[in-house]
Amino acid sequence: MQYFGFFILLVYNLSSDRMQTQNLADFQWKNRLVIVFDDQQDNSLYQEQIAVFNADRAGLKERKLLLFQISGGKISDQFSNHYSDELLMDIKNLKKDKSPFEVLLIGLDGGVKLRSTSLVPKK
């Protein structure tokens, strides 16, 4: 019976890791972030940009890049992890341009390294 309680506690902790309150600082020195904003939800430029990044998932992983998609007020990533509202607000606060489409690259140090309102090609 004691092991059953330990097992339940272990499963709970493992499943709740993804749902922990996260903010941008949690990624600092661990991952670079590519954030693609789309205010229109059906923007062809947005879809083309996501396709460019999805075509090179191995390259993203090699460069410690996490791809976040912000569309229709929701956040998603290439792993379908669930993130907190706090992280969504942190990311939304980074958007400066009034354009419905914007791509940001956040470096390992947490600074904005690239900001573009046009398609970012694979390099």
Side-chain angles (χ1 to χ4, degrees):
M1 190 63 146
Q2 183 179 4
Y3 292 110
F4 181 74
F6 175 76
F7 176 75
I8 295 297
L9 184 62
L10 178 65
V11 169
Y12 175 77
N13 283 334
L14 289 175
S15 67
S16 66
D17 272 353
R18 291 164 142 184
M19 294 298 288
Q20 288 180 348
T21 301
Q22 294 181 340
N23 55 41
L24 286 174
D26 292 336
F27 297 99
Q28 192 171 5
W29 305 116
K30 297 174 191 166
N31 294 101
R32 294 173 179 92
L33 306 179
V34 175
I35 304 168
V36 182
F37 293 94
D38 174 34
D39 294 343
Q40 296 177 338
Q41 288 187 298
D42 59 353
N43 187 336
S44 62
L45 191 57
Y46 170 81
Q47 293 169 358
E48 189 176 347
Q49 184 67 75
I50 297 303
V52 166
F53 289 129
N54 281 333
D56 190 22
R57 286 183 179 225
L60 292 175
K61 184 176 181 180
E62 180 182 311
R63 293 173 184 88
K64 296 183 177 181
L65 280 164
L66 295 179
L67 174 62
F68 286 98
Q69 303 161 49
I70 310 297
S71 180
K74 296 179 182 174
I75 184 172
S76 61
D77 68 7
Q78 71 265 34
F79 304 111
S80 299
N81 290 329
H82 301 283
Y83 294 100
S84 70
D85 290 338
E86 181 181 354
L87 178 62
L88 179 59
M89 290 309 297
D90 281 357
I91 290 175
K92 281 184 172 182
N93 287 335
L94 292 172
K95 188 172 186 329
K96 300 292 183 205
D97 199 281
K98 293 184 188 218
S99 169
F101 174 80
E102 188 172 9
V103 179
L104 296 178
L105 171 63
I106 309 297
L108 288 173
D109 64 357
V112 176
K113 306 300 179 188
L114 172 88
R115 185 180 298 272
S116 177
T117 57
S118 58
L119 187 70
V120 176
K122 177 181 150 188
K123 294 190 181 198

Tab-separated table of all heavy atoms in Angstrom, residues 64-102:
chain	number	residue	atom	x	y	z
A	64	LYS	N	19.095	24.155	-30.278
A	64	LYS	CA	18.382	24.418	-29.018
A	64	LYS	C	17.275	25.446	-29.207
A	64	LYS	O	17.078	26.328	-28.384
A	64	LYS	CB	19.336	24.889	-27.918
A	64	LYS	CG	20.361	23.890	-27.503
A	64	LYS	CD	21.178	24.457	-26.362
A	64	LYS	CE	22.189	23.459	-25.865
A	64	LYS	NZ	22.954	24.001	-24.743
A	65	LEU	N	16.566	25.331	-30.324
A	65	LEU	CA	15.487	26.258	-30.643
A	65	LEU	C	14.138	25.619	-30.351
A	65	LEU	O	13.869	24.497	-30.775
A	65	LEU	CB	15.524	26.624	-32.126
A	65	LEU	CG	16.537	27.678	-32.540
A	65	LEU	CD1	16.734	27.668	-34.045
A	65	LEU	CD2	16.093	29.043	-32.091
A	66	LEU	N	13.310	26.330	-29.625
A	66	LEU	CA	11.929	25.923	-29.408
A	66	LEU	C	11.043	26.857	-30.215
A	66	LEU	O	11.220	28.076	-30.167
A	66	LEU	CB	11.554	26.018	-27.930
A	66	LEU	CG	12.273	25.087	-26.975
A	66	LEU	CD1	11.791	25.326	-25.545
A	66	LEU	CD2	12.060	23.629	-27.361
A	67	LEU	N	10.111	26.294	-30.949
A	67	LEU	CA	9.204	27.074	-31.786
A	67	LEU	C	7.883	27.246	-31.064
A	67	LEU	O	7.219	26.263	-30.726
A	67	LEU	CB	8.981	26.358	-33.124
A	67	LEU	CG	7.948	26.954	-34.056
A	67	LEU	CD1	8.331	28.373	-34.475
A	67	LEU	CD2	7.776	26.065	-35.277
A	68	PHE	N	7.509	28.492	-30.802
A	68	PHE	CA	6.222	28.811	-30.197
A	68	PHE	C	5.360	29.511	-31.229
A	68	PHE	O	5.824	30.410	-31.929
A	68	PHE	CB	6.385	29.719	-28.981
A	68	PHE	CG	6.920	29.023	-27.776
A	68	PHE	CD1	8.262	29.088	-27.466
A	68	PHE	CD2	6.085	28.289	-26.952
A	68	PHE	CE1	8.766	28.435	-26.355
A	68	PHE	CE2	6.573	27.632	-25.841
A	68	PHE	CZ	7.922	27.707	-25.540
A	69	GLN	N	4.108	29.112	-31.298
A	69	GLN	CA	3.152	29.711	-32.213
A	69	GLN	C	2.068	30.397	-31.392
A	69	GLN	O	1.455	29.771	-30.534
A	69	GLN	CB	2.536	28.628	-33.085
A	69	GLN	CG	3.580	27.842	-33.856
A	69	GLN	CD	3.051	26.513	-34.335
A	69	GLN	OE1	1.984	26.450	-34.917
A	69	GLN	NE2	3.795	25.456	-34.096
A	70	ILE	N	1.881	31.675	-31.647
A	70	ILE	CA	0.846	32.445	-30.958
A	70	ILE	C	-0.185	32.826	-32.013
A	70	ILE	O	0.074	33.644	-32.885
A	70	ILE	CB	1.418	33.719	-30.296
A	70	ILE	CG1	2.646	33.414	-29.452
A	70	ILE	CG2	0.338	34.432	-29.501
A	70	ILE	CD1	2.409	32.504	-28.289
A	71	SER	N	-1.334	32.192	-31.930
A	71	SER	CA	-2.379	32.425	-32.920
A	71	SER	C	-3.738	32.390	-32.233
A	71	SER	O	-4.016	31.470	-31.464
A	71	SER	CB	-2.310	31.361	-34.012
A	71	SER	OG	-3.299	31.571	-34.976
A	72	GLY	N	-4.531	33.390	-32.512
A	72	GLY	CA	-5.865	33.435	-31.925
A	72	GLY	C	-5.851	33.495	-30.410
A	72	GLY	O	-6.744	32.979	-29.757
A	73	GLY	N	-4.809	34.120	-29.838
A	73	GLY	CA	-4.721	34.254	-28.392
A	73	GLY	C	-4.319	32.982	-27.671
A	73	GLY	O	-4.403	32.900	-26.453
A	74	LYS	N	-3.858	31.971	-28.430
A	74	LYS	CA	-3.438	30.712	-27.827
A	74	LYS	C	-1.983	30.456	-28.139
A	74	LYS	O	-1.459	30.888	-29.159
A	74	LYS	CB	-4.289	29.552	-28.354
A	74	LYS	CG	-5.745	29.669	-27.976
A	74	LYS	CD	-6.542	28.520	-28.526
A	74	LYS	CE	-8.015	28.696	-28.173
A	74	LYS	NZ	-8.846	27.697	-28.801
A	75	ILE	N	-1.333	29.712	-27.253
A	75	ILE	CA	0.074	29.368	-27.420
A	75	ILE	C	0.192	27.878	-27.682
A	75	ILE	O	-0.500	27.071	-27.065
A	75	ILE	CB	0.893	29.776	-26.163
A	75	ILE	CG1	2.383	29.510	-26.355
A	75	ILE	CG2	0.374	29.089	-24.922
A	75	ILE	CD1	3.251	30.066	-25.246
A	76	SER	N	1.040	27.525	-28.628
A	76	SER	CA	1.338	26.116	-28.864
A	76	SER	C	2.798	26.010	-29.290
A	76	SER	O	3.428	27.002	-29.631
A	76	SER	CB	0.408	25.530	-29.930
A	76	SER	OG	0.560	26.199	-31.150
A	77	ASP	N	3.317	24.804	-29.229
A	77	ASP	CA	4.689	24.577	-29.655
A	77	ASP	C	4.759	23.283	-30.443
A	77	ASP	O	3.765	22.589	-30.612
A	77	ASP	CB	5.653	24.578	-28.470
A	77	ASP	CG	5.470	23.393	-27.538
A	77	ASP	OD1	4.696	22.480	-27.849
A	77	ASP	OD2	6.124	23.368	-26.493
A	78	GLN	N	5.958	22.961	-30.925
A	78	GLN	CA	6.094	21.781	-31.768
A	78	GLN	C	5.913	20.481	-30.996
A	78	GLN	O	5.796	19.425	-31.589
A	78	GLN	CB	7.428	21.787	-32.516
A	78	GLN	CG	8.658	21.549	-31.655
A	78	GLN	CD	9.344	22.813	-31.188
A	78	GLN	OE1	8.701	23.821	-30.927
A	78	GLN	NE2	10.641	22.776	-31.068
A	79	PHE	N	5.866	20.538	-29.685
A	79	PHE	CA	5.696	19.334	-28.880
A	79	PHE	C	4.312	19.237	-28.261
A	79	PHE	O	4.030	18.320	-27.521
A	79	PHE	CB	6.749	19.288	-27.765
A	79	PHE	CG	8.143	19.384	-28.287
A	79	PHE	CD1	8.903	20.511	-28.045
A	79	PHE	CD2	8.693	18.367	-29.043
A	79	PHE	CE1	10.195	20.614	-28.539
A	79	PHE	CE2	9.979	18.465	-29.547
A	79	PHE	CZ	10.744	19.584	-29.290
A	80	SER	N	3.457	20.195	-28.533
A	80	SER	CA	2.095	20.243	-27.974
A	80	SER	C	2.082	20.245	-26.448
A	80	SER	O	1.185	19.702	-25.819
A	80	SER	CB	1.255	19.077	-28.503
A	80	SER	OG	1.143	19.159	-29.892
A	81	ASN	N	3.104	20.831	-25.849
A	81	ASN	CA	3.112	20.997	-24.399
A	81	ASN	C	2.105	22.070	-24.011
A	81	ASN	O	1.740	22.915	-24.824
A	81	ASN	CB	4.497	21.407	-23.892
A	81	ASN	CG	5.504	20.287	-24.015
A	81	ASN	OD1	5.168	19.118	-23.922
A	81	ASN	ND2	6.752	20.648	-24.229
A	82	HIS	N	1.697	22.040	-22.772
A	82	HIS	CA	0.762	23.043	-22.267
A	82	HIS	C	1.540	24.020	-21.397
A	82	HIS	O	2.313	23.613	-20.543
A	82	HIS	CB	-0.347	22.373	-21.456
A	82	HIS	CG	-1.102	21.383	-22.274
A	82	HIS	ND1	-2.037	21.765	-23.202
A	82	HIS	CD2	-1.049	20.040	-22.319
A	82	HIS	CE1	-2.528	20.694	-23.785
A	82	HIS	NE2	-1.951	19.627	-23.273
A	83	TYR	N	1.324	25.284	-21.621
A	83	TYR	CA	2.046	26.307	-20.885
A	83	TYR	C	1.071	27.203	-20.140
A	83	TYR	O	-0.095	27.302	-20.475
A	83	TYR	CB	2.921	27.129	-21.834
A	83	TYR	CG	4.029	26.302	-22.430
A	83	TYR	CD1	3.932	25.781	-23.699
A	83	TYR	CD2	5.163	26.005	-21.688
A	83	TYR	CE1	4.938	25.008	-24.240
A	83	TYR	CE2	6.175	25.230	-22.213
A	83	TYR	CZ	6.060	24.734	-23.492
A	83	TYR	OH	7.045	23.965	-24.009
A	84	SER	N	1.599	27.896	-19.184
A	84	SER	CA	0.775	28.740	-18.315
A	84	SER	C	0.341	30.018	-19.018
A	84	SER	O	0.934	30.448	-20.003
A	84	SER	CB	1.570	29.099	-17.063
A	84	SER	OG	2.618	29.989	-17.403
A	85	ASP	N	-0.688	30.632	-18.479
A	85	ASP	CA	-1.136	31.936	-18.962
A	85	ASP	C	-0.058	32.985	-18.733
A	85	ASP	O	0.061	33.939	-19.498
A	85	ASP	CB	-2.419	32.357	-18.247
A	85	ASP	CG	-3.605	31.501	-18.661
A	85	ASP	OD1	-3.566	30.894	-19.745
A	85	ASP	OD2	-4.582	31.432	-17.884
A	86	GLU	N	0.736	32.801	-17.679
A	86	GLU	CA	1.824	33.742	-17.384
A	86	GLU	C	2.842	33.766	-18.523
A	86	GLU	O	3.283	34.832	-18.954
A	86	GLU	CB	2.517	33.352	-16.074
A	86	GLU	CG	3.642	34.281	-15.688
A	86	GLU	CD	4.337	33.858	-14.399
A	86	GLU	OE1	3.886	32.919	-13.730
A	86	GLU	OE2	5.359	34.482	-14.083
A	87	LEU	N	3.199	32.591	-19.043
A	87	LEU	CA	4.131	32.537	-20.165
A	87	LEU	C	3.518	33.183	-21.401
A	87	LEU	O	4.184	33.936	-22.107
A	87	LEU	CB	4.544	31.093	-20.470
A	87	LEU	CG	5.485	30.926	-21.663
A	87	LEU	CD1	6.801	31.663	-21.418
A	87	LEU	CD2	5.733	29.461	-21.956
A	88	LEU	N	2.247	32.915	-21.657
A	88	LEU	CA	1.571	33.519	-22.802
A	88	LEU	C	1.608	35.043	-22.708
A	88	LEU	O	1.904	35.727	-23.690
A	88	LEU	CB	0.121	33.026	-22.894
A	88	LEU	CG	-0.713	33.602	-24.032
A	88	LEU	CD1	-0.100	33.300	-25.395
A	88	LEU	CD2	-2.132	33.080	-23.960
A	89	MET	N	1.356	35.583	-21.530
A	89	MET	CA	1.403	37.042	-21.357
A	89	MET	C	2.821	37.580	-21.546
A	89	MET	O	3.001	38.630	-22.172
A	89	MET	CB	0.863	37.437	-19.981
A	89	MET	CG	-0.641	37.234	-19.839
A	89	MET	SD	-1.622	37.977	-21.173
A	89	MET	CE	-1.242	39.697	-20.974
A	90	ASP	N	3.830	36.870	-21.021
A	90	ASP	CA	5.226	37.285	-21.222
A	90	ASP	C	5.555	37.369	-22.703
A	90	ASP	O	6.169	38.322	-23.165
A	90	ASP	CB	6.190	36.292	-20.559
A	90	ASP	CG	6.325	36.468	-19.067
A	90	ASP	OD1	5.718	37.404	-18.511
A	90	ASP	OD2	7.025	35.643	-18.439
A	91	ILE	N	5.129	36.344	-23.448
A	91	ILE	CA	5.423	36.304	-24.880
A	91	ILE	C	4.641	37.388	-25.621
A	91	ILE	O	5.192	38.084	-26.476
A	91	ILE	CB	5.131	34.906	-25.448
A	91	ILE	CG1	6.186	33.913	-24.918
A	91	ILE	CG2	5.130	34.921	-26.972
A	91	ILE	CD1	5.949	32.476	-25.301
A	92	LYS	N	3.376	37.550	-25.306
A	92	LYS	CA	2.568	38.588	-25.971
A	92	LYS	C	3.157	39.979	-25.743
A	92	LYS	O	3.067	40.847	-26.611
A	92	LYS	CB	1.126	38.544	-25.478
A	92	LYS	CG	0.305	37.452	-26.110
A	92	LYS	CD	-1.132	37.557	-25.623
A	92	LYS	CE	-2.038	36.620	-26.351
A	92	LYS	NZ	-3.439	36.757	-25.927
A	93	ASN	N	3.750	40.215	-24.578
A	93	ASN	CA	4.339	41.516	-24.279
A	93	ASN	C	5.567	41.804	-25.134
A	93	ASN	O	6.000	42.954	-25.231
A	93	ASN	CB	4.691	41.619	-22.793
A	93	ASN	CG	3.463	41.766	-21.931
A	93	ASN	OD1	2.417	42.244	-22.366
A	93	ASN	ND2	3.571	41.339	-20.685
A	94	LEU	N	6.137	40.779	-25.751
A	94	LEU	CA	7.296	40.975	-26.624
A	94	LEU	C	6.902	41.532	-27.990
A	94	LEU	O	7.717	42.122	-28.671
A	94	LEU	CB	8.037	39.651	-26.830
A	94	LEU	CG	8.746	39.067	-25.618
A	94	LEU	CD1	9.264	37.679	-25.934
A	94	LEU	CD2	9.896	39.980	-25.193
A	95	LYS	N	5.664	41.313	-28.393
A	95	LYS	CA	5.213	41.766	-29.711
A	95	LYS	C	5.109	43.283	-29.706
A	95	LYS	O	4.377	43.859	-28.929
A	95	LYS	CB	3.869	41.137	-30.060
A	95	LYS	CG	3.439	41.402	-31.499
A	95	LYS	CD	2.214	40.582	-31.832
A	95	LYS	CE	1.771	40.638	-33.257
A	95	LYS	NZ	1.975	41.796	-34.021
A	96	LYS	N	5.864	43.907	-30.595
A	96	LYS	CA	5.893	45.373	-30.649
A	96	LYS	C	5.224	45.916	-31.901
A	96	LYS	O	4.649	46.985	-31.894
A	96	LYS	CB	7.343	45.871	-30.614
A	96	LYS	CG	8.103	45.455	-29.379
A	96	LYS	CD	7.573	46.124	-28.153
A	96	LYS	CE	8.399	45.730	-26.949
A	96	LYS	NZ	7.718	45.816	-25.720
A	97	ASP	N	5.330	45.179	-32.989
A	97	ASP	CA	4.814	45.655	-34.257
A	97	ASP	C	3.304	45.475	-34.327
A	97	ASP	O	2.763	44.528	-33.777
A	97	ASP	CB	5.491	44.884	-35.404
A	97	ASP	CG	5.374	45.609	-36.713
A	97	ASP	OD1	4.294	45.531	-37.318
A	97	ASP	OD2	6.350	46.260	-37.114
A	98	LYS	N	2.630	46.372	-35.017
A	98	LYS	CA	1.179	46.280	-35.157
A	98	LYS	C	0.784	45.344	-36.291
A	98	LYS	O	-0.388	45.086	-36.502
A	98	LYS	CB	0.572	47.666	-35.371
A	98	LYS	CG	0.735	48.523	-34.147
A	98	LYS	CD	0.076	49.854	-34.302
A	98	LYS	CE	0.473	50.686	-33.104
A	98	LYS	NZ	-0.497	51.511	-32.571
A	99	SER	N	1.772	44.839	-37.003
A	99	SER	CA	1.515	43.889	-38.080
A	99	SER	C	0.887	42.619	-37.507
A	99	SER	O	1.225	42.195	-36.412
A	99	SER	CB	2.847	43.540	-38.755
A	99	SER	OG	2.695	42.449	-39.620
A	100	PRO	N	-0.043	42.005	-38.238
A	100	PRO	CA	-0.663	40.773	-37.735
A	100	PRO	C	0.321	39.610	-37.686
A	100	PRO	O	0.094	38.634	-36.978
A	100	PRO	CB	-1.788	40.498	-38.734
A	100	PRO	CG	-1.442	41.254	-39.952
A	100	PRO	CD	-0.618	42.424	-39.512
A	101	PHE	N	1.439	39.712	-38.415
A	101	PHE	CA	2.436	38.649	-38.463
A	101	PHE	C	3.769	39.186	-37.963
A	101	PHE	O	4.211	40.260	-38.377
A	101	PHE	CB	2.591	38.147	-39.906
A	101	PHE	CG	3.693	37.147	-40.088
A	101	PHE	CD1	3.510	35.827	-39.746
A	101	PHE	CD2	4.919	37.535	-40.597
A	101	PHE	CE1	4.526	34.899	-39.910
A	101	PHE	CE2	5.945	36.626	-40.770
A	101	PHE	CZ	5.744	35.302	-40.427
A	102	GLU	N	4.402	38.443	-37.071
A	102	GLU	CA	5.719	38.838	-36.579
A	102	GLU	C	6.470	37.594	-36.123
A	102	GLU	O	5.879	36.673	-35.564
A	102	GLU	CB	5.594	39.826	-35.420
A	102	GLU	CG	6.924	40.421	-34.996
A	102	GLU	CD	6.787	41.543	-33.968
A	102	GLU	OE1	5.681	41.767	-33.445
A	102	GLU	OE2	7.806	42.181	-33.680
